[in-house]
Amino acid sequence: MKNLLTDIAGVRVGHAHDAKLASGATAIVFDQPAVAAIDVRGGGPGTREDALLDPASTVERVDAIALSGGSAFGIEAGGGIQAWLAEQGRGFRIREALIPIVPGAILFDLLNGGDKAWGRFAPYRDLGYAAAVAAGTEFALGSVGAGFGATTATFKGGLGSASAVTDNGVKVAAIIAVNAIGSATVGDGPWFWAAPFEVNGEFGGRGLPDKFTDDMLRMRIKGGVAATERENTTIGVLVTDAVLTKPQAKRLAMIAHTGFARAIYPVHAPTDGDVLFAAATCAKPIDPIVGMTELGMVAANVVARAIARGVHSATALPFPGAQPAWKDQFGQQRNGGQGAG
């Protein structure tokens, strides 16, 4: 186990980003089509092919999922991934036509200091294509891919990942791009809200404060009263090797969204666009009641850990006035913790 999304066999991840643009895209590519669903909790989401993922819709499986910066412009990243899949002969067949199925979600990073004067066409389709080309079983965390330009209320946001195995041997893993209106840390200190679920010091090993003060619980949000629905979003993909139907994948996404609330404060706000995809490679049978409950419980913990790792691993953008990274203020790890990425 590498503590990455690619601990699920048959899943590959690739990043592409542009430092001058201060934005990027991430491709999650399935070697074989995966059952998938989506759960949206934020008030300002930006998605591609979300209606297709409704349990009542016809298509059961997807070939890849796109995560991207760029707000609505970033939706084109899915088209780049789709183009690469078409070159590989992948897709949903309708007689002689072959259509790669690539849902996606975007976050807003247009005000982070990068050069967004890209001319007539935004670069996200090309970034999506490059991310798909780069997809493999090893990938970086932090200020990379879709999380390259991400921010939070207190520290630089980024892309995180984590994985776990249930007592019944079912694997579940998440990849999250953290661009929340709220904060992943308790107040302005080094503690992560997700601390109770940390494994092997994977995001610093700082635990929680001895007590919570009123200041720690004060609302910290990006932009204060001036925040808009386009400024924030935490987006991610949860994958398991369990055998799930499309409705079960939807339920898993709903349960796992609890991980957002365990790791971000406040969360699911009118100005967030929080989106979580859930996908299943369908390798291991699972009990539909007890097994699904356990899987959802562990999945929520994994999502929380991935969010904290994204912020913990991030590095500040090289622009005047850029938001500092957690490590800029609190250094590396404590208590000998270790983690992949």
Side-chain angles (χ1 to χ4, degrees), residues 8 164-173 238-244 248-249 251-253 255-256 278-280 284-287 289-303:
I8 309 299
V165 184
T166 70
D167 289 342
N168 290 325
V170 175
K171 292 181 180 179
V172 61
L238 179 80
V239 184
T240 178
D241 59 2
V243 177
L244 300 182
Q248 286 175 320
R251 176 56 56 185
L252 180 62
I255 300 172
K284 298 177 181 177
I286 188 172
D287 179 84
I289 304 299
V290 176
M292 267 293 295
T293 301
E294 181 191 25
L295 179 60
M297 175 187 72
V298 175
N301 296 346
V302 166
V303 167

Side-chain angles (χ1 to χ4, degrees), residues 21 23-26 46-48 65-81 102-110 116 118 121-129 146 235:
L21 177 72
S23 187
T26 294
T47 56
R48 166 190 163 105
I65 297 175
L67 303 178
S68 179
S71 189
F73 297 103
I75 291 175
E76 293 186 356
I81 298 170
V102 186
I106 52 86
L107 56 81
F108 183 94
D109 58 4
L110 300 182
K116 306 303 193 293
W118 49 60
F121 297 110
Y124 291 98
R125 184 175 64 175
D126 290 336
L127 286 169
Y129 183 91
I235 55 177

Side-chain angles (χ1 to χ4, degrees), residues 126-178:
D126 290 336
L127 286 169
Y129 183 91
V133 170
T137 57
E138 300 287 342
F139 61 94
L141 304 182
S143 297
V144 294
F148 190 91
T151 58
T152 74
T154 52
F155 297 107
K156 174 72 174 67
L159 184 137
S161 189
S163 65
V165 184
T166 70
D167 289 342
N168 290 325
V170 175
K171 292 181 180 179
V172 61
I175 186 170
I176 310 286
V178 188

Side-chain angles (χ1 to χ4, degrees), residues 5-338:
L5 187 76
T6 49
D7 284 327
I8 309 299
V11 182
R12 291 176 290 128
V13 173
H15 301 310
H17 45 255
D18 183 324
K20 181 180 178 182
L21 177 72
S23 187
T26 294
I28 296 91
V29 179
F30 302 103
D31 290 345
Q32 299 295 326
V35 172
I38 186 174
D39 189 48
V40 179
R41 296 293 173 96
T47 56
R48 166 190 163 105
E49 296 276 37
D50 59 323
L52 177 146
L53 297 175
D54 187 285
S57 295
T58 300
V59 174
E60 289 285 332
R61 297 176 179 247
V62 305
D63 298 293
I65 297 175
L67 303 178
S68 179
S71 189
F73 297 103
I75 291 175
E76 293 186 356
I81 298 170
Q82 190 176 44
W84 181 83
L85 286 164
E87 291 174 351
Q88 315 310 308
R90 294 282 307 276
F92 181 73
R93 181 169 293 281
I94 304 176
R95 296 198 299 274
E96 64 271 19
L98 200 60
I99 307 167
I101 305 299
V102 186
I106 52 86
L107 56 81
F108 183 94
D109 58 4
L110 300 182
L111 299 176
N112 60 10
D115 181 6
K116 306 303 193 293
W118 49 60
R120 177 170 292 177
F121 297 110
Y124 291 98
R125 184 175 64 175
D126 290 336
L127 286 169
Y129 183 91
V133 170
T137 57
E138 300 287 342
F139 61 94
L141 304 182
S143 297
V144 294
F148 190 91
T151 58
T152 74
T154 52
F155 297 107
K156 174 72 174 67
L159 184 137
S161 189
S163 65
V165 184
T166 70
D167 289 342
N168 290 325
V170 175
K171 292 181 180 179
V172 61
I175 186 170
I176 310 286
V178 188
N179 189 60
I181 189 175
S183 173
T185 58
V186 180
D188 298 316
W191 316 279
F192 285 94
W193 289 108
F197 311 101
E198 186 173 13
V199 176
N200 295 329
E202 61 194 336
F203 40 87
R206 299 299 185 106
L208 289 172
D210 293 335
K211 64 178 182 178
F212 289 88
T213 65
D214 290 343
D215 182 68
M216 290 174 181
L217 299 177
R218 176 173 58 84
M219 183 173 71
R220 288 166 170 82
I221 61 173
K222 290 191 292 188
V225 296
T228 77
E229 71 278 2
R230 297 179 300 277
E231 290 181 356
N232 319 283
T233 290
T234 297
I235 55 177
V237 180
L238 179 80
V239 184
T240 178
D241 59 2
V243 177
L244 300 182
T245 64
K246 201 172 176 185
Q248 286 175 320
K250 171 70 174 181
R251 176 56 56 185
L252 180 62
M254 294 170 68
I255 300 172
H257 236 308
T258 307
F260 281 51
R262 292 174 179 172
I264 301 170
Y265 180 88
V267 71
H268 300 154
T271 50
D272 275 317
D274 298 339
V275 172
L276 184 63
F277 297 93
T281 59
C282 297
K284 298 177 181 177
I286 188 172
D287 179 84
I289 304 299
V290 176
M292 267 293 295
T293 301
E294 181 191 25
L295 179 60
M297 175 187 72
V298 175
N301 296 346
V302 166
V303 167
R305 292 166 49 210
I307 290 170
R309 288 192 83 197
V311 176
H312 176 262
S313 302
T315 53
L317 294 173
F319 306 125
Q323 190 174 52
W326 184 92
K327 289 180 179 177
D328 291 339
Q329 188 161 345
F330 303 112
Q332 298 293 317
Q333 293 178 336
R334 184 176 174 182
N335 299 334
Q338 61 184 3

